Amino acid sequence: MNKVGRRLAMLVGGLSLLLAVAGPWITPYDPERPTADVLMSPSASHPMGTDASGLDVFSVTVAAYRTDLLIALAAVVLSLVVGIVLGVLAGYSFGGSRAFGILGKAVDRLLDLVQSIPVVILGLALVATFGRGMPSVIAAVAFVNVPVFARLLRSSLKSAERGGLVQACRSVGLSERATLLRHVLPNSLDSTLANASVALGGAILLTAALSFLGAGVRPPTPEWGALISGGANYVPTGQWWISVFPGLVLSLTVVCFALAGESVRDRLSGASGRKRSADAGQTDAAQTDTDTVMRLA
Amino acid sequence: MSSMRLQVRDLVVEAGRGGERTQAVRGACLSVAEGQVVGLVGESGSGKTMTSLACLGLLPPGVEVVGGEITVDGHAMLTLPERDRRALRGPSIAMVFQDPLSSFHPGLSVGTQIVHSLRDHGVGRAEAKARCIEVLGEVGLPKPEAQARRFPHQLSGGMRQRAMIALALANRPRILIADEPTTALDPTVQAGILRLLRRLADDGLGVLFISHNLGVVAGLCDEVTVMRNGEVVESGPTARIIGDPQHPYTQTLLAAAPSLPDPVEVGDPIVVREEPGAAAPDSRVDRDAAVYTLADVSRHFVSGSRGRKTTVHALDGVSLSITKGSSTGIVGESGSGKSTLARLLGALDAPSSGQVLFHGQDLTGMSKQDMRAFRRKVQFVFQDPTSSLDPRYTVEDTLREALHTHGVTDPAQVARRFTELSEQVRLPKSLFGRYPRELSGGQRQRVAIARALAPRPEVLIADEPVSSLDVSIQAQVMDVFRDLSENDGLTLVMVSHDLALIRDVCDSLVTLYNGTVMESSQAAAYYEQPMHPYSSALLHSMPNPRHIGRLPEVLALGEPADPTSPPPGCRFHPRCPRAQDLCREQRPALTAMPDRVLACHFPLTVPAVTAEVGER
C-alpha cells in the first residue's frame, strides 16, 4: 500500500475516532429510543433512514462506534497482557531451567489448542454460558488474539536468546529475571506491540461479526453487527439502507484501522522491504474479511 | 593498450536519496591488464565494493554513477544500454562475492546453475553441460561430475567458493572481480583459493581482487590500489606499495596489519597431562597456580530424533590447565571447538563428560552462591559487540549495571570505577553518555571489554574479540588486551583463528583440531618451531604482508573434518602429509616435551619451517 493511501487511512481513521468520542453530542436522535418514523428511507431528517423499530440509522451507527471500539480496545489490551505472559513462558528458557522448559512446551501446545477452536463457536459458547454482554464478547475477541501475540513474542524471544545480548548478560552475572525484564523483553516487545495496532481493526470486525451472528452484545446497545443483521431481513423488500450504511461504515473503519495500524507498526519496528510485503498480505486478508461481512450484510 | 581488460577513470558514485547525497566513490582510477591481479585495498566504507559493482553495472537502487568512464574489455560500460551490459556480464566480466552461500540459488544444484548461466548466453545444451564439468574441474573440485549434482549447502565453505568461481568462469570472462572472496574462509582453505586465482591469472585472466587483508594482497597481487573514503590514495606495483608505502594511510594500514614479528618473551607454559582421561591431577602442576584444570572434557551436541540422530563432537577428551596470570590463545580452524571450549571455561555451557575445574572447584553442579562468585571472577568478551550490548543502554548504563550486579553501588565508588575503566580500555569518558549505535565498532568493543572488567575479574575470556573490526582498529583493541594481561595481572584466554594477531598478546597456545588438542605450547616455541604438522600448516597458511609475491603454503590437504563423524586414529590424519598407517589406527596420546605438549606420532623435528615463518 502506498504512502498516500496510508496517510488517507490515518486521516479517515482519526476523523472517525473523533466521531466516536463526540458521538453523543452530534447524533440527532437518541440511538436507543425509537422515533415514530418506521422504515423511512434516507431523507434530510434521517440521513441514513430509520429501521423497523423506528431507530434513526445514522444515530445508531455513530453510537455503535463507541461500543465496537471499546470492545475491540479492551480485547486487544487483554490479549496483549495474556499474550505477553504466555509468550515469555513459551519463548524464554530461563537459563535452561527444566521446569520452565516443560512449562514452555505446555504453553506451546495450549496455544495450538486455542488456535484450533473456531472463534464463532467459542463466542456462542461464551454467550450461552455467561449471557450476552460485553465481557463475553471481549473474552471471545481477546481469546483469538492471545496466540497471535504470544507466538510473535515467543519467536522474538527465541531468536534473542540465541543472540549475543543474552549471553553477555549471563556472563556479566545478571540474574535471569534481570536479563529478561531489563534487556531481553524491552528489546523484543517492539514487533508484538506494533502488531497490536494492526490487530485493532481485526478486533472491530470480529466484534461486529459475533453480533451479526447473535453472539454479541445485548440488543438495545447500539452495535454495527447487530444493526446489519437486523436490517438484512429488509434488504429483499427494498429497505436496503438499514444494513448498507452501517456496513459501509464498518468496512471503511476496519480498512482504515488496518492501514493506519501498519503505518504505526512500520514506524515502530523500522520498515524493511520484507516486512512491507508481509503487510501487503495482511491488508489483503483484512479486505477479504471486509468483503465477507459485506456479503453477509 | 589491447591487453587492458578493465579501465576505470575518474569514477564518481553517489548514494542517497533527495537532497542528502553522499559520494561513495570520488574520482577513482584503476586498470587491470590481461594476466594481472590487481588488489583493491581499503577498510569498510572506503568505496571499494561500490567501485567494483559500478564496473559490472550492478549498483544497488539509489546509488548511481555521476561521472567518469569504465571500459570493460573495450566496451564503454556506462554508456551501454542495460541489454548490452547484460550480454557483457559473463563472457566479458564476472564477479565472485564473499559469501557464496547467499550468492547461489539454494534450490538448484551447482551444475544446473552453471548450465543456466551458459544457456543464457546462447550456448547449446550439450555444450553447456560439457563446459560445466570442465570448469568445475578447472577450479580444482575433485570428481566434477559428482559435484555438479550437489546443492550449494552440501558443499563445504572452500568447495562452495570454488564452485562460485566456476560459475563466474563458465562463460570464459576476460575479467574476474573477486570481492573479499576468502574473508569468510579459514586461512588453510584461503591459501588454496588464492593459489587458484593466481593460476587463473597466469593463464591470462585479469583479476580485480578486493580485500582488506594486506597479507593476502601482498602475496597474490601484481599491483595494488589503496582506497580511503572513496578516494584512491596510492596505487602501483605491489612491491612498491606494500614494500615501501609512501602515503601515510598505507603506512598506517601496514603497521596495523598482523604479521609474524620477532619472538616475544617466554611466558608460563600450559601444562597438559600426558594421558587424556587420567583422573589424578599431575603432580607437576602447582595446584595454586592453576586457575583452570580440564580433565578429559567432551562436549557433544546431539540433534535429530530417534533413528536419525547426529552427534557433533565439538570437543573430545580435552585435558589442559591454565595457569594464573598467563595469557592463553586457543587457535584452530572453524569447527575445531575453540568457541565451545571458551564457553565451557566461562560456564556458559556445561561439558557432556569430564570436569572443568576452576581453582579445584567443579563448574557443573555449583551452588547459586558459588556461581555468582564465579561470575564475578570470570568475565567474557564476545565477538560481536553490536549484539552483545543493549541498544537501549548508554555506555554508562551498561557499566553501572555491571557494577551494581557485583555489589558496587556507592555513587562515589561507581564514579571512580568509571574513570578507571575508561583509562583501562582507553575509551574517553565523554563518550559514556552515548548509545551503542552512536559508537564505532572499536569503541563498542571497548565498552564490552570495560563491562567485563567492571567487577575486577581474575580471568577474562575473549572469543574472537576483534574479528568483526577493521584492520587498523584490530591492532588498537589488541593493545588493550596486551596491557591488561601484562600490567594488570589478568589471566587471559583468547580464542582466535588469526595466529599473527594474537602473537603479541598470548604467551601460550592451545591448538585444537576437530575437538581435540593437537599441540599446546609456549607461544615463542610454537612460532619458532611448530612440531605438530597441523600447527605448521596453520602457521604456513597465515598471509604475511612481508611476503610480497609469495602465497601462503597449503600444508593441510582438503578441509576441516566433519565433526559429526570424526575420523579414527589421529583426527588430523586425512589431511596430514606425514600420515602413516599408525596414524589411521591409533589416536596419539598427548606427550609432554620440555616446552610443549604434543599429540602426534610423527612430529616435525627439523626446524625447516622456522626460516620462512619467523622472518621479518
Side-chain angles (χ1 to χ4, degrees), chain B residues 583-602:
Chain B
C583 303
R584 285 172 204 115
E585 285 149 18
Q586 197 188 333
R587 182 169 164 181
L590 278 170
T591 316
M593 308 213 167
D595 55 1
R596 71 189 84 202
V597 180
L598 199 63
C600 183
H601 293 302
F602 305 102

Side-chain angles (χ1 to χ4, degrees), chain B residues 305-328:
Chain B
S305 52
R306 271 163 294 162
R308 286 201 172 186
K309 262 193 187 155
T310 49
T311 306
V312 175
H313 298 250
L315 282 179
D316 247 346
V318 169
S319 301
L320 52 84
S321 70
I322 292 173
T323 45
K324 196 170 171 61
S326 67
S327 57
T328 304

Side-chain angles (χ1 to χ4, degrees), chain B residues 14 100 148 183 193 199 218 242 263 322 351 370 384 394-395 411 446 457 514 611 614:
Chain B
E14 276 190 359
T183 306
I193 302 282
R199 200 188 75 219
I242 309 270
I322 292 173
D370 286 346
D384 178 14
T394 61
V395 176
R446 284 164 205 264
N514 209 221

Side-chain angles (χ1 to χ4, degrees), chain A residues 271-293:
Chain A
S272 68
R274 192 172 50 79
K275 269 185 185 139
R276 228 172 279 137
S277 67
D279 289 355
Q282 291 205 345
T283 318
D284 292 343
Q287 269 157 353
T288 334
D289 284 353
T290 321
D291 293 343
T292 318
V293 168

Side-chain angles (χ1 to χ4, degrees), chain B residues 460-534:
Chain B
L460 188 62
I461 302 169
D463 187 354
E464 302 268 13
V466 298
S467 57
S468 63
L469 307 177
D470 266 328
V471 182
S472 58
I473 312 293
Q474 284 187 342
Q476 296 169 16
V477 175
M478 287 309 277
D479 280 349
V480 172
F481 280 109
R482 193 178 51 205
D483 277 3
L484 290 172
S485 103
E486 283 178 5
N487 306 332
D488 300 349
L490 213 63
T491 306
L492 186 66
V493 178
M494 186 174 287
V495 171
S496 181
H497 67 280
D498 192 333
L499 283 165
L501 198 65
I502 60 169
R503 165 134 206 203
D504 280 350
V505 178
C506 296
D507 50 38
S508 48
L509 290 176
V510 177
T511 310
L512 290 178
Y513 178 72
N514 209 221
T516 58
V517 176
M518 295 278 120
E519 178 171 358
S520 85
S521 54
Q522 294 173 7
Y526 185 93
Y527 286 105
E528 263 166 40
Q529 192 191 349
M531 285 179 71
H532 199 289
Y534 179 59

